[in-house]
Amino acid sequence: MMKIDSLFLVSMVFGGFMLAQLLRDGVPASPYPTGDSVGMIVTPAESKPPMEQLQTGNGDLSPGDTSPDILPPYAHFTVTQGLHGFEYGHRAVDLSAGKGAPILSPIRGVVTQNQVDVYGNTILVIENERYRVTLLHGNFTVQVGEQVEQGQVIGAESNQGLTYDLNGRSCAGRDCGYHTHINIYDKMKGKNINPLKWFNQS
């Protein structure tokens, strides 16, 4: 009898978890990338190879792209979620360097957006003639119209908006889910590119 009760309890817990996942997935998709990192694990930052070691021939890189036009938003980081966002027309990744870590501008350009959407996602967009870089969830400190230099501090890592813990629970008002969601659009190629190709991660 005890065995049946235990199996029933496990089944009920699993069923509740699946129902919660279905309810969460039923939320209307944001028009912006949300960085919903359900499996997000913030681990200590790892050392990465210097950007000078980037090689050509990495899929999204064209011949002649031997020097990085785009740098990661952190000096050291952990990839917390690989390519995602296809359902809303993006090709983004989530990176973490830890709560409050300085976020650096990946490109030299102009801030064209700094806003909060209806989901609470903080959205920063930096553009130049070649690229449009979209960053989410940070506490951004630069203003629309401001010229920023590559590598300049533009904010601090946070968990603003739709971020989740390992159990799929919202991190709103909680100490979890810290990361930066980054999307890069190549205006010359007319498509989103894989940021990890530039960041020497794939």
Side-chain angles (χ1 to χ4, degrees):
M1 188 68 175
M2 213 44 195
K3 183 176 182 182
I4 294 172
D5 290 344
S6 297
L7 289 174
F8 177 76
L9 182 60
V10 169
S11 298
M12 290 301 294
V13 170
F14 181 76
F17 175 77
M18 295 304 294
L19 179 61
Q21 292 292 87
L22 287 171
L23 290 174
R24 186 184 60 79
D25 291 342
V27 175
S30 168
Y32 301 101
T34 61
D36 298 350
S37 300
V38 173
M40 188 168 133
I41 303 171
V42 178
T43 58
E46 302 168 5
S47 296
K48 303 299 176 189
M51 293 306 295
E52 291 75 29
Q53 293 180 15
L54 280 174
Q55 302 296 317
T56 58
N58 281 340
D60 289 321
L61 304 185
S62 300
D65 286 342
T66 54
S67 63
D69 292 332
I70 305 167
L71 296 178
Y74 302 110
H76 303 284
F77 60 90
T78 298
V79 177
T80 57
Q81 187 173 4
L83 283 176
H84 62 284
F86 300 97
E87 66 273 17
Y88 42 77
H90 277 243
R91 196 176 182 196
V93 295
D94 291 346
L95 310 175
S96 178
K99 177 182 178 180
I103 301 172
L104 312 176
S105 179
I107 61 172
R108 182 179 191 273
V110 175
V111 177
T112 58
Q113 288 183 51
N114 184 350
Q115 64 186 43
V116 179
D117 70 12
V118 297
Y119 301 94
N121 297 312
T122 52
I123 303 168
L124 185 75
V125 179
I126 302 171
E127 298 189 57
N128 59 26
E129 291 181 0
R130 175 77 186 263
Y131 301 107
R132 179 173 65 241
V133 177
T134 303
L135 305 152
L136 273 77
H137 307 303
N139 289 325
F140 300 114
T141 56
V142 290
Q143 304 302 316
V144 172
E146 187 175 339
Q147 174 78 43
V148 295
E149 298 300 320
Q150 189 176 46
Q152 175 183 330
V153 175
I154 55 174
E157 182 175 312
S158 188
N159 64 349
Q160 303 296 311
L162 296 178
T163 58
Y164 299 91
D165 67 15
L166 288 171
N167 298 312
R169 295 175 300 183
S170 172
C171 286
R174 299 172 59 221
D175 192 24
C176 60
Y178 297 95
H179 71 285
T180 294
H181 174 105
I182 181 169
N183 168 257
I184 302 171
Y185 181 79
D186 187 327
K187 298 177 181 180
M188 184 179 295
K189 295 180 180 179
K191 66 177 184 178
N192 295 303
I193 62 175
N194 180 357
L196 298 180
K197 297 292 186 181
W198 284 104
F199 303 163
N200 203 23
Q201 293 292 311
S202 64

